[in-house]
Amino acid sequence: MKKADITKQQLAESTGYSYQYIYDLLNGRRRWNEESLEKVCHSIGLEVNVVSSVSAQTPNLPEHTSERLREVLAENKRLCEEVGNLKTAIKALTKGW
């Protein structure tokens, strides 16, 4: 934004978002998504290309293989979430020890 010499208010106006929404994005109070990232980057003169890491790494796999890969990745995500929940529970249980 400094290089583009654009303020948060100007960024809000050029993206169609409210000032508060832009403020929250920039301060980590809201999550970026593909649309918000694209609008903000366009407004400050940056080009953004969002590429799925799965499709980028496996462009020529047969369809059934890609489906199985998606299943494995979904299961991996679920297991990671469970591990995170377990870590939180262990911290809570051992807090006073």
Side-chain angles (χ1 to χ4, degrees), residues 14-56:
S14 67
T15 59
Y17 293 129
S18 69
Y19 175 86
Q20 187 64 51
Y21 186 82
I22 293 295
Y23 180 87
D24 289 346
L25 279 174
L26 296 174
N27 288 290
R29 294 186 181 139
R30 285 192 180 264
R31 295 184 117 189
W32 291 88
N33 59 43
E34 187 177 343
E35 181 181 344
S36 60
L37 186 61
E38 189 175 299
K39 283 184 175 185
V40 168
C41 287
H42 178 75
S43 293
I44 61 175
L46 294 175
E47 181 180 343
V48 63
N49 293 309
V50 178
V51 178
S52 167
S53 60
V54 172
S55 64

Side-chain angles (χ1 to χ4, degrees), residues 3-97:
K3 285 185 178 181
D5 193 31
I6 189 171
T7 66
K8 289 179 191 127
Q9 184 61 46
Q10 291 168 324
L11 187 59
E13 291 169 3
S14 67
T15 59
Y17 293 129
S18 69
Y19 175 86
Q20 187 64 51
Y21 186 82
I22 293 295
Y23 180 87
D24 289 346
L25 279 174
L26 296 174
N27 288 290
R29 294 186 181 139
R30 285 192 180 264
R31 295 184 117 189
W32 291 88
N33 59 43
E34 187 177 343
E35 181 181 344
S36 60
L37 186 61
E38 189 175 299
K39 283 184 175 185
V40 168
C41 287
H42 178 75
S43 293
I44 61 175
L46 294 175
E47 181 180 343
V48 63
N49 293 309
V50 178
V51 178
S52 167
S53 60
V54 172
S55 64
Q57 294 173 7
T58 58
N60 297 318
L61 290 177
E63 188 174 320
H64 68 279
T65 304
S66 296
E67 181 60 34
R68 178 65 183 133
L69 183 57
R70 281 191 286 276
E71 290 170 4
V72 169
L73 291 172
E75 178 66 9
N76 184 54
K77 180 181 177 185
R78 187 189 67 74
L79 291 172
C80 287
E81 289 171 353
E82 282 186 24
V83 168
N85 291 338
L86 288 172
K87 285 181 180 179
T88 301
I90 291 169
K91 283 181 184 178
L93 290 171
T94 60
K95 191 173 186 175
W97 293 14

